[in-house]
Amino acid sequence: MPKTYKTLLLPALLLSICFLLGTGCEQSDRTQEKNINDLEIKQVDQLNRKAENKVFFYPETALEYIAESLRLSRRIGYLKGEAEASLLEGEVFKRQEKSNASLESHLRAVKLAQKSSDREILARTRAWLSSALIGAKRFDEARSKLGQARELNGDRDNKTAFDALVFSGKLAETENSPEAQKTFLLGALKIAQEIENKQAEGYAYHLLAHNCRSTGKKEEAFNYIDSAIRIFAEIDNQEFESYCLISYALWLKQEARYPEALDSINRALELLKTTELKNYLANAYRIAGQCYYSTGLLDKCLNCYHVALKIYENLGFDALADETTVDIIGASIFLDERQKSIDYAYQFINDGRAKTDSLLARLYTSIALAYFIDQPEEAIKVARKALTFADNEKSVSVKVDALSLLAHSLIALERNNEAKKYLEQAKSIIENHDLQEKKQQVYNDLARYYYKQGDIEKALEYVNKALPVAISSENFIGEFVSYSLLHDIYEKTGDFKKADNYSQLIIAISHDRCKDKLIKEQKAQSIKYDLKVRNKEIELLKKEKSIRDLKLNRQSLITAFVASAMLLVAGLALAISIAYRNNAKALKVEAQLSRQDPLTKLLNRRAMYEVLEVEIERFERSHSPFSLLMADIDHFKKINDKYGHDCGDAVLMMVSESFKNMTRKQDKIARWGGEEFLMILPETDSEGAARLAEKLRQNFENSVLEHNSAKLNITMSFGVSQYIPNVDIDRSIKAADEALFLAKKAGRNRVICA
């Protein structure tokens, strides 16, 4: 080979090698860059999914994910990811009622989608833009964007098709077309089921429930909301499950189905305690308070109201805090110091805190009720003032209360013709608005009016309408008033046997609520009625002389109870306490001294032994196991030494309250001594008792007690034993105590079974 070729060949070979190496490196760099981009695209998609899951309940957290997604997608030029993040940002702003910002974000999402040329995101951004336009009340534009979204999406059954139908339903709702809305929502439900998207399916059921509720299809609404609750429970979406449970409870309350409402709201409370949804937690406590108010459990009612009020205040929700304060005033009217409640209500008004007509109507109605018992003239003035503020849709229920109060105050002053006018107005409202909660109240009012007028047939007609509603809703005051009316009606007509039967029913329903003078009087009447049945003529001769005083006494009580019924509270025990205050207080003090620990209000040791005797007798009949749980607050002495005995007392009360809230109604709890507690758990073996103890232990471990400026983390130790048959009960107690000792010896904050 000539030297010239050799000279040229070597550089050529070197250049070829370098080219090949360079090309390989470049390809390697491109592959690495692609891998990095794929990872970052996946990260953006994950951030968007996280944001989407937070939009409804945690908007601030959603915005954090969205901001990170926007930053990353812009850096890598991922248009589809940026469009989705902008879309979600717009939805957050819409929920925060920032309509201009929402529209701006949605329009940006559409522009980004157009640049990406991705048909799916193009369809989705237009569908969601329609939602923002609906919020801005630009309905024609919204309809146009929905049409574009459907055209782009074609016949595909996917989440975009679901969203388009949901937003079409929203548009139909703004046009007052509930049937059209329902058709769209049923279509959305079908798609959600076909694509097996449980979240979307539950949401569709939830929207259908609200649609049916708005059109008066109550049972259908209950069925749909029940399906939504079931699905959200299946996928463990606690936020949406609790949200639907609250709606369900509110609707049940409006139907006067208080036991079912309380069951639903208590389920919601259990779920909400594990979330950060403090506003929903407060709403749930407030609804629970309203249900307890309507069934006469005022202690529980006020406890719930105070918890709700504290949460609203901490969140800065002033309007809801004011609403709840008015709830508290309304319930407190029935406590012993009525004048203080009246003064506070007037102070609330004078301070300008009652900013709406609805609040003013409620406050004046509560004040009128307080005056009714002994100052009917003043009650009439205040109730008329309440009516001037209750003339709107939001205050329909309060208007019924004010009208009833006016009528009863006028009847008390024998101004019957005026009273009838107000009662007829109240009747018209409850029937036109289907106010189930108020029906027993107004029908009993009308029955009382016609009884006073001597129209027994009309009185019976209305009391027989009121009683089934009161019984089904477990409304104690409604039952009491109905039975009292029936008793009076049959006494007046000379049917003493039936009068006696209703007297016995009054005794039965009053047994757990009032055990003082009323029951003695009813029993005395019962004896008199037996004599009447045997010798009617003699008893009729004696009637005016022997019964007049007794009847007047009972009538004054019933008058107080009718007053309580104006606001659907079971004010029986409280009304009695006004009439027989000194006697009731004495009985209460005696009961507390004999059976109750004065600090924690739990059973004392003496009362617990009585309960144990009953439980042992039940065991001997059924052989169903029961267990004992002994609990002790760890390092309680150090708490007392460091923070003082006031703090120690606060800890004991907090622990007692937690025990009550986390155990069943049939479980019994006693303060056994010092910082020790004993529980009896019927129909529970040692394994079940240990599970409860562990649940309690974890609750205390994860709770913080605030006392003054101190924040305390307390823990508890537990010992568990199952009842040992045919031996002294003290053996079982000792076994639980020894297990507790082992738990403390092993390092505290644990559960040991005997």
Side-chain angles (χ1 to χ4, degrees):
M1 183 180 291
K3 187 175 180 182
T4 306
Y5 288 121
K6 288 183 180 178
T7 306
L8 292 171
L9 184 60
L10 184 59
L13 286 170
L14 288 171
L15 282 170
S16 298
I17 291 166
C18 289
F19 175 77
L20 290 170
L21 287 171
T23 302
C25 290
E26 191 177 325
Q27 286 177 343
S28 175
D29 288 343
R30 279 201 296 268
T31 303
Q32 189 175 1
E33 186 180 341
K34 184 178 184 301
N35 289 339
I36 291 169
N37 279 344
D38 285 347
L39 285 170
E40 288 176 322
I41 285 169
K42 189 175 180 181
Q43 190 178 349
V44 168
D45 290 340
Q46 287 174 344
L47 285 166
N48 286 338
R49 294 293 73 75
K50 286 180 179 179
E52 190 171 7
N53 289 334
K54 298 291 182 182
V55 165
F56 199 94
F57 294 105
Y58 304 105
E60 296 302 328
T61 306
L63 284 173
E64 290 175 14
Y65 288 129
I66 290 164
E68 180 61 19
S69 174
L70 287 170
R71 184 191 65 77
L72 186 55
S73 56
R74 284 166 184 165
R75 185 171 66 77
I76 64 175
Y78 182 29
L79 292 171
K80 181 181 177 182
E82 187 181 354
E84 257 195 52
S86 298
L87 177 153
L88 292 167
E89 183 182 59
E91 191 61 17
V92 171
F93 289 148
K94 189 184 80 173
R95 295 191 181 283
Q96 293 177 335
E97 298 181 357
K98 300 174 182 176
S99 57
N100 290 335
S102 171
L103 201 53
E104 185 181 327
S105 294
H106 277 294
L107 287 167
R108 186 171 69 247
V110 170
K111 288 177 183 177
L112 288 163
Q114 287 171 335
K115 287 182 183 178
S116 75
S117 300
D118 185 302
R119 196 174 181 85
E120 183 183 342
I121 194 66
L122 273 167
R124 191 174 185 215
T125 51
R126 277 168 171 72
W128 283 70
L129 175 58
S130 72
S131 172
L133 289 165
I134 291 168
K137 299 184 179 179
R138 291 161 61 174
F139 304 125
D140 289 338
E141 293 174 74
R143 192 176 293 104
S144 171
K145 295 302 175 188
L146 280 168
Q148 291 173 23
R150 281 192 288 267
E151 185 179 341
L152 284 163
N153 197 57
D155 295 330
R156 287 175 292 177
D157 284 341
N158 54 19
K159 187 64 166 55
T160 301
F162 173 88
D163 292 337
L165 285 166
V166 168
F167 297 141
S168 296
K170 184 69 178 172
L171 191 59
E173 184 184 14
T174 65
E175 296 167 340
N176 295 318
S177 303
E179 288 305 318
Q181 182 193 18
K182 186 178 181 182
T183 301
F184 285 124
L185 292 176
L186 286 169
L189 175 63
K190 184 180 177 183
I191 289 174
Q193 290 168 338
E194 286 175 357
I195 64 176
E196 297 183 354
N197 186 325
K198 286 288 185 182
Q199 177 88 3
E201 185 182 351
Y203 188 60
Y205 276 126
H206 153 74
L207 293 174
L208 280 163
H210 282 273
N211 168 271
C212 291
R213 184 72 185 174
S214 70
T215 55
K217 298 172 182 174
K218 295 177 182 178
E219 286 309 312
E220 200 173 345
F222 284 135
N223 290 336
Y224 280 133
I225 201 73
D226 190 56
S227 295
I229 291 165
R230 175 179 51 78
I231 286 171
F232 288 129
E234 280 177 17
I235 62 175
D236 198 28
N237 189 325
Q238 295 183 341
E239 288 83 3
F240 259 113
E241 185 185 355
S242 56
Y243 179 75
C244 291
L245 282 165
I246 289 171
S247 295
Y248 194 28
L250 186 60
W251 296 346
L252 288 165
K253 183 187 82 70
Q254 290 166 353
E255 295 303 304
R257 291 162 63 175
Y258 302 117
E260 294 168 83
L262 281 167
D263 178 63
S264 182
I265 209 67
N266 284 327
R267 284 168 62 194
L269 285 169
E270 283 302 309
L271 290 168
L272 288 165
K273 286 174 185 175
T274 64
T275 71
E276 298 173 14
L277 300 176
K278 299 301 180 188
N279 54 330
Y280 288 95
L281 183 64
N283 294 344
Y285 271 115
R286 190 177 174 210
I287 293 169
Q290 291 166 349
C291 292
Y292 286 128
Y293 179 87
S294 297
T295 52
L297 300 169
L298 284 189
D299 286 344
K300 288 187 175 182
C301 159
L302 287 167
N303 284 340
C304 289
Y305 282 160
H306 282 294
V307 173
L309 177 61
K310 186 175 180 181
I311 296 171
Y312 286 139
E313 287 176 340
N314 289 340
L315 293 172
F317 290 3
D318 294 340
L320 287 168
D322 286 344
E323 289 271 359
T324 310
T325 302
V326 174
D327 291 335
I328 292 168
I329 292 169
S332 300
I333 288 291
F334 297 100
L335 302 179
D336 283 354
E337 297 179 346
R338 282 184 299 130
Q339 190 57 49
K340 282 189 178 179
S341 296
I342 293 169
D343 292 343
Y344 187 64
Y346 276 123
Q347 182 186 335
F348 192 92
I349 293 167
N350 294 334
D351 288 347
R353 291 176 64 189
K355 297 181 178 69
T356 65
D357 285 355
S358 176
L359 279 180
L360 285 164
R362 289 175 58 203
L363 283 162
Y364 282 122
T365 302
S366 294
I367 295 166
L369 177 57
Y371 281 132
F372 168 78
I373 295 171
D374 48 18
Q375 298 179 56
E377 287 278 10
E378 192 64 28
I380 290 169
K381 291 178 188 175
V382 180
R384 282 187 171 140
K385 198 164 190 177
L387 279 176
T388 64
F389 293 104
D391 199 16
N392 60 71
E393 282 297 311
K394 289 184 178 179
S395 303
V396 170
S397 181
V398 184
K399 188 173 184 177
V400 172
D401 294 333
L403 289 166
S404 292
L405 271 168
L406 264 173
H408 278 282
S409 301
L410 290 164
I411 289 170
L413 297 171
E414 298 185 359
R415 291 158 62 180
N416 295 328
N417 289 335
E418 292 177 74
K420 185 181 180 184
K421 177 181 74 173
Y422 292 117
L423 287 174
E424 289 295 340
Q425 282 185 48
K427 176 174 174 282
S428 175
I429 291 170
I430 62 161
E431 290 178 349
N432 289 338
H433 290 81
D434 195 22
L435 296 181
Q436 198 70 21
E437 276 193 286
K438 298 293 179 185
K439 282 185 178 178
Q440 66 81 22
Q441 170 189 326
V442 174
Y443 290 148
N444 272 331
D445 292 345
L446 283 161
R448 173 66 59 188
Y449 166 79
Y450 283 113
Y451 169 78
K452 289 271 190 181
Q453 295 298 104
D455 190 338
I456 299 301
E457 188 178 340
K458 274 279 189 186
L460 277 171
E461 177 191 336
Y462 281 111
V463 77
N464 286 326
K465 283 184 175 182
L467 185 56
V469 180
I471 291 172
S472 65
S473 62
E474 293 189 14
N475 188 312
F476 172 59
I477 187 62
E479 285 185 70
F480 181 88
V481 173
S482 294
Y483 288 143
S484 297
L485 280 164
L486 287 164
H487 159 269
D488 289 350
I489 287 167
Y490 288 116
E491 182 189 59
K492 190 170 187 175
T493 58
D495 192 336
F496 300 114
K497 186 67 177 176
K498 282 187 177 178
D500 182 39
N501 288 341
Y502 286 111
S503 180
Q504 296 295 338
L505 282 169
I506 292 169
I507 294 169
I509 67 168
S510 303
H511 183 73
D512 290 330
R513 311 240 179 172
C514 54
K515 299 178 182 179
D516 52 10
K517 195 169 181 178
L518 176 70
I519 289 178
K520 292 176 185 176
E521 289 183 355
Q522 294 288 353
K523 285 182 176 177
Q525 280 185 315
S526 181
I527 294 167
K528 287 183 173 66
Y529 289 141
D530 284 340
L531 293 173
K532 287 175 185 176
V533 172
R534 285 195 293 267
N535 195 342
K536 186 174 178 179
E537 281 190 16
I538 295 172
E539 285 307 308
L540 285 170
L541 290 172
K542 292 180 178 179
K543 184 177 178 183
E544 283 194 10
K545 186 174 182 299
S546 62
I547 297 177
R548 186 186 296 112
D549 292 339
L550 185 60
K551 188 174 175 182
L552 285 172
N553 285 339
R554 193 188 71 252
Q555 190 60 43
S556 67
L557 282 174
I558 292 170
T559 301
F561 297 142
V562 170
S564 302
M566 298 311 110
L567 290 179
L568 274 177
V569 300
L572 177 59
L574 299 167
I576 291 171
S577 72
I578 293 168
Y580 302 104
R581 190 173 298 156
N582 293 334
N583 186 39
K585 284 183 177 177
L587 288 171
K588 186 178 179 183
V589 170
E590 182 181 346
Q592 286 177 337
L593 288 174
S594 64
R595 293 183 55 80
Q596 197 178 72
D597 174 63
L599 176 66
T600 63
K601 310 305 180 196
L602 298 177
L603 297 174
N604 59 22
R605 188 180 283 239
R606 170 186 165 185
M608 199 58 158
Y609 270 113
E610 293 173 7
V611 173
L612 281 165
E613 288 176 7
V614 172
E615 193 58 27
I616 291 167
E617 289 175 5
R618 187 195 61 77
F619 173 87
E620 288 170 354
R621 289 194 306 272
S622 66
H623 300 290
S624 181
F626 72 93
S627 294
L628 303 176
L629 194 158
M630 189 79 79
D632 186 276
I633 302 171
D634 297 332
H635 303 297
F636 185 73
K637 186 177 183 301
K638 289 182 181 178
I639 295 171
N640 273 335
D641 292 343
K642 185 174 181 179
Y643 299 101
H645 287 280
D646 284 348
C647 183
D649 288 349
V651 170
L652 288 168
M653 288 188 284
M654 185 275 286
V655 167
S656 303
E657 199 60 33
S658 293
F659 282 161
K660 289 182 211 171
N661 291 336
M662 295 182 69
T663 53
R664 303 168 301 176
K665 188 175 180 180
Q666 63 264 39
D667 299 331
K668 302 300 178 187
I669 314 164
R671 185 180 177 193
W672 201 242
E675 67 273 23
E676 274 194 355
F677 301 83
L678 179 66
M679 292 187 199
I680 300 174
L681 309 175
E683 298 181 348
T684 306
D685 59 18
S686 58
E687 288 183 10
R691 284 195 296 272
L692 172 63
E694 180 59 21
K695 183 180 174 184
L696 292 166
R697 186 198 69 76
Q698 289 179 15
N699 174 67
F700 292 116
E701 185 181 44
N702 297 323
S703 299
V704 177
L705 171 66
E706 293 186 12
H707 179 73
N708 296 332
S709 58
K711 292 186 177 181
L712 296 94
N713 291 98
I714 67 162
T715 60
M716 294 196 71
S717 301
F718 297 83
V720 175
S721 73
Q722 190 170 317
Y723 170 63
I724 307 164
N726 304 320
V727 297
D728 191 88
I729 186 62
D730 285 326
R731 275 278 304 277
S732 299
I733 296 172
K734 187 178 180 183
D737 195 40
E738 287 172 350
L740 173 62
F741 174 77
L742 291 174
K744 297 185 85 66
K745 191 175 180 181
R748 297 182 169 83
N749 189 25
R750 62 196 65 224
V751 177
I752 298 287
C753 288

